[in-house]
Amino acid sequence: MYRKLKIAYCLALVCIPFKKPAAQEKELTINWNQVLTVSKTVPTLQVVYNPMLRANAPIHKAAFDALKNMGADYVRYVPWFPYPKAAVAALKAPTTTETFWDFQYADPPLADFMEATKGHPPVINFSTIPVWMFRTPAPVQYPADPDLPFWGYNQGRELRDSTGKEVAGYFARIFSWYTKGGFTDELGRFHKSGHYYKFPYWEVLNEPDLEHRMSPQLYTRIYDAVVLELKKIAPETKFVGISVALETDPQWFEYFLNPANHQPGVPLDGISYHFYGRPAAADQRIDSYQYSFFDQANGFLDRVRYIENIRKRLAPNTFTHINEIGTILENRDYKGVIPDEYWNLSGALFAYLFVELSKIGIDVAGESQLVGYPTQFPDVTMINWKTGNPNSRYWVLKLIKDNFGPGDTLCAANANHPEIMAQAFITASGKKLLLVNKTNKEIHLKLPAMEGATLQTVDVDTGDQPIAHATLKTNTLQVKPFAVTVIEIKK
């Protein structure tokens, strides 16, 4: 009898209709009177030289058109060491009778970059020191083919001129080549370029903690020597320092940001550093990437706050560029299948970090990078290397850049859903709400009365297509996986 009653009770439970707890249906809230901060953060990107940006590349025009259409300030341009013929203007040391300056591979992409960013101040970083300026066991041989990557170029840890003056002279001549119409070489001969570009920002080296494994002390000595030389050429140019790949070592910031460690007359205009989210294990799949990426982003934000405390204590007038933000699945040679949703996840991570960095007061948040492809960090690209179309990472940056920037007031908002980030902005064009779905699932979000508001969205349905536009007709929004949505609220 007891067993029959138990079965009947269980069957009765099955027949009872399930009702969602009221807590799961809480409405998104905004408090326009609760100001969090006024943003000074500029959203932008970096462009790293590689052969896909050469004039003969199939996506050359599409890539630079996309850069021009972005219309961003402070785009970072880096001719990078894996392509020595484009990154290094003097691949051989001068002799008593000859110098070896050659800009044939460096000039065309830089000209294309400057044309695409015309009207917007760029940040230039010729980051590679000629390897012959370092002590190495034997001369470093590089490929004759300018399009063949050579990851072994940056050898040596000790400069042959420990003062850094030889390095400074090299960069001064590059700077003069592009800004003063030419330069006088080591033998007193003038090399005419005809270039008169304006370089308002110059970043000194790239990831010195990895490239040549420099100490903060050596890097600072090189920085000072370079800045003092370039200041003679362009007193108005501002300089960006540090540029480390790994922001986990506080001594870089403690040492570099201390004015006592610099020569007289060396300004501490700005610093930079980088962040890339990565899978926690090689066998992870996209449903797990989201947790690794956002957890790592939150850890990074804690370190940003720590670094900001160092900066404010030692050099409060120094600006901060976090100018490489992205995600990497494995390494530069990744050949696995990249799911379509990955590009949306990576874009959603950038949108999330843009908001959080705005709250901290970072000056520039730069997405990395315009073009990548197999053997060149394909998972970091913002352009589809097969078609030349911008992907979701590009469109998320475009969405952020066209809607938000310095001067916006960030106000309190709460999606009341743990997997949705909501941020309210009062912008020059009106009130807006930014939503970021941090998960690979669709979420139904209950909104306050916003009928008639306009929606701009990048999600798994838009893919390589431009930002989708719509009008909000109900107070329930279907938020697609990894969607980034801007709601412009009617006045």
Side-chain angles (χ1 to χ4, degrees), residues 49-51 79-88 128 145-151 153 373 375-376:
Y49 170 84
N50 60 53
W80 202 28
F81 77 87
Y83 300 97
K85 288 196 171 184
V88 181
T128 307
D145 184 348
D147 295 339
L148 188 65
F150 177 52
W151 298 95
Y153 185 78
Y373 61 97
T375 75
Q376 278 297 309

Side-chain angles (χ1 to χ4, degrees), residues 103-158:
F103 290 85
Q104 65 174 309
Y105 298 106
D107 276 8
L110 185 128
D112 291 333
F113 172 84
M114 295 301 291
E115 180 62 29
T117 58
K118 186 180 291 185
H120 302 277
V123 180
I124 304 299
N125 184 346
F126 275 81
S127 62
T128 307
I129 299 172
V131 72
W132 52 263
M133 293 187 179
F134 286 86
R135 300 186 186 278
T136 57
V140 176
Q141 303 299 319
Y142 50 86
D145 184 348
D147 295 339
L148 188 65
F150 177 52
W151 298 95
Y153 185 78
N154 276 341
Q155 297 184 33
R157 298 187 63 180
E158 183 183 354

Side-chain angles (χ1 to χ4, degrees), residues 410-428:
L410 279 70
C411 301
N414 187 349
N416 289 304
H417 195 295
E419 293 160 331
I420 296 285
M421 185 209 74
Q423 181 58 59
F425 293 81
I426 300 176
T427 73

Side-chain angles (χ1 to χ4, degrees), residues 216-471:
Q217 291 76 17
L218 174 58
Y219 173 79
T220 299
R221 191 157 65 246
I222 293 171
Y223 174 91
D224 285 6
V226 170
V227 169
L228 288 173
E229 283 300 308
L230 269 57
K231 272 292 185 186
K232 297 175 185 176
I233 303 166
E236 71 283 1
T237 294
K238 295 186 181 299
F239 296 90
V240 185
I242 299 185
S243 189
V244 289
L246 306 174
E247 77 302 325
T248 53
D249 186 350
Q251 73 162 323
W252 272 93
F253 302 92
E254 288 282 358
Y255 189 86
F256 182 85
L257 286 169
N258 188 338
N261 294 325
H262 292 269
Q263 294 185 45
V266 174
L268 295 179
D269 294 319
I271 60 170
S272 62
Y273 50 99
H274 307 154
F275 169 76
Y276 289 94
R278 297 174 183 266
D283 60 351
Q284 269 194 329
R285 294 295 177 262
I286 192 164
D287 284 336
S288 299
Y289 295 165
Q290 58 200 24
Y291 303 111
S292 298
F293 290 177
F294 282 99
D295 282 351
Q296 290 165 24
N298 287 329
F300 171 70
L301 290 167
D302 284 341
R303 295 190 293 277
V304 172
R305 295 181 185 98
Y306 182 77
I307 292 166
E308 280 295 283
N309 281 335
I310 296 173
R311 182 193 64 79
K312 290 174 182 176
R313 170 167 48 85
L314 294 174
N317 295 321
T318 300
F319 59 74
T320 299
H321 288 192
I322 299 180
N323 52 16
E324 290 190 33
I325 298 172
T327 54
I328 297 174
L329 293 178
E330 190 174 315
N331 55 44
R332 60 181 179 259
D333 297 318
Y334 183 71
K335 296 180 176 64
V337 175
I338 300 177
D340 291 341
E341 300 91 337
Y342 165 81
W343 308 112
N344 294 96
L345 166 58
S346 189
L349 184 72
F350 177 79
Y352 173 77
L353 282 170
F354 168 76
V355 169
E356 296 303 320
L357 293 173
S358 297
K359 292 177 184 176
I360 295 171
I362 299 303
D363 297 271
V364 167
E367 191 171 19
S368 175
Q369 62 186 25
L370 184 66
V371 174
Y373 61 97
T375 75
Q376 278 297 309
F377 296 96
D379 34 20
V380 183
T381 193
M382 299 168 69
I383 301 292
N384 185 321
W385 62 84
K386 296 177 182 178
T387 66
N389 293 330
N391 65 23
S392 296
R393 298 185 73 239
Y394 173 94
W395 291 117
V396 167
L397 175 59
K398 179 72 169 167
L399 179 67
I400 297 293
K401 180 261 168 189
D402 286 353
N403 283 281
F404 307 115
D408 293 345
T409 300
L410 279 70
C411 301
N414 187 349
N416 289 304
H417 195 295
E419 293 160 331
I420 296 285
M421 185 209 74
Q423 181 58 59
F425 293 81
I426 300 176
T427 73
S429 59
K431 293 180 177 178
K432 298 180 182 181
L433 177 68
L434 175 63
L435 301 174
V436 178
N437 184 350
K438 298 186 285 184
T439 65
N440 193 21
K441 63 183 179 183
E442 185 172 302
I443 294 172
H444 294 224
L445 195 62
K446 188 175 181 182
L447 302 174
M450 291 184 182
E451 289 85 349
T454 58
L455 304 178
Q456 302 172 65
T457 298
V458 177
D459 60 25
V460 292
D461 288 342
T462 60
D464 286 359
Q465 301 303 311
I467 299 162
H469 295 258
T471 301

Side-chain angles (χ1 to χ4, degrees), residues 42 44-45 72-76 120-123 201 321 323 363-364:
V42 177
T44 189
L45 71 154
D73 291 338
Y74 310 123
V75 179
R76 180 184 190 234
H120 302 277
V123 180
Y201 294 87
H321 288 192
N323 52 16
D363 297 271
V364 167

